[in-house]
Amino acid sequence: MSVAGKWQISMDTPIGTQKFTWDLQQAGGGWQGTMNAPTGSSELGNVQVSGSNVGCNARVSTPMGAIDVTFEGAVNGDKIGGTCRTQFGNFQFSGDRA
């Protein structure tokens, strides 16, 4: 199953559950994407896809200012999940194909 498409994702953090949408698309020989959240939109950088595994990074706006995040996860059917690494620790994320 391809990782391409829109994903509705949630992640529990110390400041509450964060909800956002990824839109991942193949672009030429690589991948690109955007992340949309209530605090704004960010480009996903360094999008890497290998089989069902996906990784990317982004700079996101938060109530505490902009922070850098790195995601590593996998797609299983219409589900996605994995780990988000931040300067405040690592958090699990999960979601569904939109």
Side-chain angles (χ1 to χ4, degrees), residues 62-76:
T62 74
M64 298 175 291
I67 63 168
D68 294 319
V69 295
T70 301
F71 294 95
E72 294 177 355
V75 171
N76 184 1

Side-chain angles (χ1 to χ4, degrees), residues 13-28:
T13 73
I15 60 171
T17 300
Q18 305 301 307
K19 294 184 182 245
F20 48 92
T21 303
W22 279 355
D23 187 359
L24 298 170
Q25 301 299 327
Q26 280 189 292

Side-chain angles (χ1 to χ4, degrees), residues 50-81:
S50 177
S52 63
N53 296 318
V54 61
C56 58
N57 55 45
R59 175 163 277 205
V60 297
S61 297
T62 74
M64 298 175 291
I67 63 168
D68 294 319
V69 295
T70 301
F71 294 95
E72 294 177 355
V75 171
N76 184 1
D78 287 332
K79 302 280 186 192
I80 192 168

Side-chain angles (χ1 to χ4, degrees), residues 23-47:
D23 187 359
L24 298 170
Q25 301 299 327
Q26 280 189 292
W31 288 83
Q32 64 185 21
T34 55
M35 179 175 166
N36 295 298
T39 56
S41 180
S42 304
E43 291 295 317
L44 294 174
N46 194 29
V47 180

